[in-house]
Amino acid sequence: DQQVKQNSPSLSVQEGRISILNCDYTNSMFDYFLWYKKYPAEGPTFLISISSIKDKNEDGRFTVFLNKSAKHLSLHIVPSQPGDSAVYFCAASGGGSTLGRLYFGRGTQLTVWP
Amino acid sequence: NAGVTQTPKFRVLKTGQSMTLLCAQDMNHEYMYWYRQDPGMGLRLIHYSVGEGTTAKGEVPDGYNVSRLKKQNFLLGLESAAPSQTSVYFCASRLDRGKAFFGQGTRLTVV
């Protein structure tokens, strides 16, 4: 039973436009959320994170929004660039029975075209 | 700093053979993880460790064993490899509940 879900396997966006990647989670114990980026033949690299005490976190072109009541988070990339083309993974961690674990979604392949 | 280093990077095994994947981190992290990545399945947690001498099962532990005898190393063992274990394996480490750092991956093929 997946606790972190990324329901869009792929997303295609034109360069300069906004990319919005979505993620849903089911476990109320999650209180820390992360986004990772992965290029082929490389390990995932950390992009941005957000704690459940916030609803928004920005880092340059990347912004993550958290809606706790809907158990939903999204990653906005503005403006999108061809080098952003990669697989993006959403991840979640928390306390209680989830302590120590880091759960990942199935990923969304983002393609940014010129 | 090397970060997280996985050994080997590639390996081909015959069904029934055994092997050990090594993960080493030089960041003094408490938490370490082994994931497998398969097409369309994302990153699935095999086993993890919250400190030296501890291990716990993840989502897909069957067919794998792990050991964390030293804080900096996390070993993943396959006792009798099966074709279903053909995958890319990633090791990761975390200081606590912050971000995790990943290794470059091990591509394993079982024939």
Side-chain angles (χ1 to χ4, degrees), chain B residues 49-60:
Chain B
S49 169
V50 297
E52 182 179 305
T54 74
T55 63
K57 294 180 180 180
E59 303 165 81
V60 288

Side-chain angles (χ1 to χ4, degrees), chain A residues 5 27 55 95:
Chain A
K5 301 179 183 180
N27 197 325
D55 54 19

